[in-house]
Amino acid sequence: QVQLEESGGGLVQAGGSLRLSCVAAGRTNSYVGMGWFRQAPGKEREFIASISSGGTWKNYADSVKGRFTISRDNAKNSVYLQMSSLKPEDTALYYCAAGSTLTASNRYSYWGQGTQVTVSS
């Protein structure tokens, strides 16, 4: 089993920045893809970004491309999401996931509990 714990969410004004962190514990394996998803109230869970095991390949949703950056530190069993130029529509519960680099949430084996990001206008 792998446990994922997100942190770094909060309330920020539009145009601001936040950095989300996700730490993996348990039977961690650095050689797996990781991803970030988000879910706003009344909406489906949405793919945000993913990163390959070595960190050399990254994929982003069009809605965040150029504003968000995913990275990882395998020595710390961690993956990060740097979010800039935040918009009110970025408000959601953000989840870290492990086990894939694909955009479909059902391809990921492990999930964190989520961290809330709220962007005020």
Side-chain angles (χ1 to χ4, degrees), residues 23 32 43 45 51 67 71 99 102 106 111 115-116 119 121:
V23 179
V32 295
K43 295 188 177 182
R45 192 166 295 188
I51 187 168
R67 299 189 298 123
S71 62
L102 300 178
N106 61 6
W111 292 84
T115 185
Q116 179 67 39
V119 184
S121 57

Side-chain angles (χ1 to χ4, degrees), residues 29-90:
N29 185 344
S30 297
Y31 303 101
V32 295
M34 301 285 292
W36 286 97
F37 290 74
R38 67 186 181 189
Q39 188 167 18
K43 295 188 177 182
E44 293 187 354
R45 192 166 295 188
E46 174 190 18
F47 168 81
I48 296 300
S50 61
I51 187 168
S52 61
S53 58
T56 56
W57 185 87
K58 303 174 184 180
N59 188 31
Y60 297 94
D62 288 342
S63 59
V64 305
K65 200 170 292 184
R67 299 189 298 123
F68 291 10
T69 301
I70 189 171
S71 62
R72 68 189 295 164
D73 185 341
N74 286 340
K76 297 181 179 179
N77 289 327
S78 296
V79 63
Y80 309 99
L81 186 68
Q82 177 68 47
M83 305 185 296
S84 303
S85 302
L86 283 163
K87 305 174 182 179
E89 51 263 45
D90 293 319

Side-chain angles (χ1 to χ4, degrees), residues 89-111:
E89 51 263 45
D90 293 319
T91 295
L93 189 60
Y94 282 70
Y95 295 93
C96 171
S100 179
T101 57
L102 300 178
T103 61
S105 60
N106 61 6
R107 302 306 294 267
Y108 291 78
S109 301
Y110 302 101
W111 292 84

